[in-house]
């Protein structure tokens, strides 16, 4: 049969050659995944920093308008009705990382993220 002869000839890949190709692809994927994860983490950190700056701007606008700072103890209360949302900020931002939780500190009038590296 012709097709059988084709596989026994000199042309085509040997098992070792295929294994080398698969190994090289494996190495490339092994390099690409950490690079991708790092880029994603950096993008999330930048988005979170932008959120915190926006919140800071809203708090400062609140202060400039009312002459006072929001007198609340938690982030949930800060973004609750009639405090910041919807007068000073349209929606309450969340950390893009599922592990990130925002905390409002009344003493410093600032919002911080629980993920290290997210605060500017
Ligand atoms: Zn965050």
């Amino acid at each position: 049969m012709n097709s059988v002869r084709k596989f026994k000839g000199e042309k085509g890949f040997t098992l070792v050659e295929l294994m080398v190709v698969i190994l090289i692809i494996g190495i490339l994927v092994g390099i690409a995944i950490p690079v991708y994860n790092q880029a994603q983490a950096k993008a999330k950190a930048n988005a979170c920093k932008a959120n915190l700056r926006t919140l800071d701007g809203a708090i400062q606008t609140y202060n400039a308008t009312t002459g006072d700072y929001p007198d609340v103890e938690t982030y949930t209360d800060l973004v609750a009705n009639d405090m910041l949302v919807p007068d000073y900020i349209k929606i309450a931002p969340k950390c893009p990382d599922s592990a990130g939780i925002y905390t409002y500190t009344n003493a410093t009038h600032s919002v911080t993220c629980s993920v290290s590296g997210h605060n500017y």
Side-chain angles (χ1 to χ4, degrees):
M1 286 215 296
N2 259 353
S3 58
V4 173
R5 223 177 280 145
K6 215 185 234 174
F7 287 113
K8 284 185 174 174
E10 299 251 331
K11 289 184 179 172
F13 295 111
T14 65
L15 184 62
V16 173
E17 285 168 339
L18 276 174
M19 285 170 73
V20 168
V21 168
I22 290 166
L23 179 74
I24 290 168
I25 291 170
I27 291 168
L28 289 175
V29 169
I31 293 167
I33 287 174
V35 168
Y36 174 76
N37 286 343
Q38 229 175 7
Q40 232 188 6
K42 200 173 178 187
K44 282 179 182 175
N46 285 337
C48 189
K49 284 175 189 175
N51 282 349
L52 295 178
R53 282 194 197 96
T54 304
L55 282 163
D56 189 44
I59 292 166
Q60 297 308 320
T61 308
Y62 178 97
N63 175 253
T65 308
T66 65
D68 209 347
Y69 282 103
D71 189 25
V72 291
E73 298 299 327
T74 65
Y75 178 69
T76 308
D77 287 342
L78 179 72
V79 295
N81 287 339
D82 301 333
M83 195 51 79
L84 284 187
V85 181
D87 289 345
Y88 302 98
I89 192 167
K90 213 167 184 182
I91 54 157
K94 278 186 213 155
C95 180
D97 192 319
S98 55
I101 296 164
Y102 287 166
T103 307
Y104 177 67
T105 308
N106 199 334
T108 56
H109 317 295
S110 62
V111 179
T112 51
C113 181
S114 61
V115 179
S116 67
H118 280 202
N119 300 293
Y120 64 95

